[in-house]
Amino acid sequence: MTKKELKKLEIIKTGFFLMKSKGYNGTGINEIIHTVGIPKGSFYYYFESKEGFAIEILNYYADRLLQNVADALTDPSQPPLQRILKLYKRQVADYLDNSSFSYGAFGTRLCQEIGSRHTLVKNAAEKVYKDLIGLHNQCLLEASAKGDIGRDIDTAKLSEFIIYSWEGALMRLNGSKNADSLQTFNDMLQDVVLKRA
């Protein structure tokens, strides 16, 4: 990476962690440039606008997220359904141990906050969902081909259901500051959703 690319990545990482904790509206450009240690003009050298910056952050988040999920859901050493269960068990364990997620609701929160005003941000967040659905769907299709779930199951809809249920559990966690929603999600995923599929 060039020096310019490294500096841009540093600004994106800083913005990601600030927006993850404070939201889009709660994160000012002045705070970002102060944290990174650059003049305000340098921010606009790298990014056309705060909206464009948010899209870059979403892309950074998506790259990390999708690689993490893809690694888990394409692991040939595990049966397909076990890959899904293992992915979410690991996410819950990460939160209980470190109070953090590698697979969280960042895209959802950003879209809820500004998606109605910024179509490009909304579209970037929607792409993350479509890619996540695709990764889950491929894993479930493999499970279907192996006979681990019924061949009549609509794997795309089941993928959506899993992702939306996970996002709902995270939103409940954010509101209650209680991890019960995550444990309930994991229990139902294992004992009901994938067991009955």
Side-chain angles (χ1 to χ4, degrees), residues 16-186:
F16 170 67
F17 288 110
L18 288 172
M19 285 190 190
K20 188 176 177 184
S21 62
K22 299 183 174 186
Y24 179 89
N25 293 321
T27 304
I29 291 172
N30 285 336
E31 182 178 11
I32 296 164
I33 62 174
H34 176 74
T35 304
V36 178
I38 58 170
K40 195 165 192 175
S42 293
F43 179 87
Y44 291 105
Y45 171 73
Y46 292 104
F47 311 100
E48 291 184 6
S49 63
K50 190 177 177 185
E51 178 189 4
F53 181 54
I55 292 169
E56 294 262 15
I57 289 172
L58 264 173
N59 291 337
Y60 166 76
Y61 164 74
D63 287 345
R64 294 172 65 227
L65 165 64
L66 294 170
Q67 187 60 60
N68 175 37
V69 173
D71 288 346
L73 297 187
T74 59
D75 179 2
S77 70
Q78 298 282 330
L81 297 185
Q82 286 303 312
R83 295 174 204 163
I84 296 173
L85 294 171
K86 187 176 178 182
L87 168 67
Y88 290 101
K89 282 181 182 175
R90 186 180 73 213
Q91 293 306 312
V92 173
D94 282 351
Y95 179 77
L96 294 176
D97 294 342
N98 308 309
S99 295
S100 65
F101 293 101
S102 52
Y103 176 11
F106 176 73
T108 298
R109 284 186 279 121
L110 190 62
C111 194
Q112 285 178 336
E113 188 176 2
I114 64 169
S116 62
R117 298 190 320 267
H118 300 286
T119 304
L120 293 177
V121 171
K122 177 184 170 187
N123 292 344
E126 284 299 310
K127 184 179 184 310
V128 176
Y129 277 113
K130 287 179 182 175
D131 290 343
L132 277 172
I133 290 166
L135 287 169
H136 283 69
N137 190 40
Q138 285 302 314
C139 189
L140 288 170
L141 284 170
E142 190 177 338
S144 179
K146 289 176 177 288
D148 296 338
I149 62 175
R151 295 181 186 273
D152 60 332
I153 295 291
D154 186 329
T155 55
K157 284 186 179 178
L158 181 55
S159 298
E160 288 186 61
F161 179 79
I162 291 170
I163 292 162
Y164 296 154
S165 298
W166 173 245
E167 291 281 328
L170 290 177
M171 290 298 187
R172 179 63 188 147
L173 169 69
N174 289 334
S176 68
K177 306 303 179 192
N178 184 308
D180 287 353
S181 61
L182 304 183
Q183 297 286 15
T184 298
F185 169 86
N186 255 354

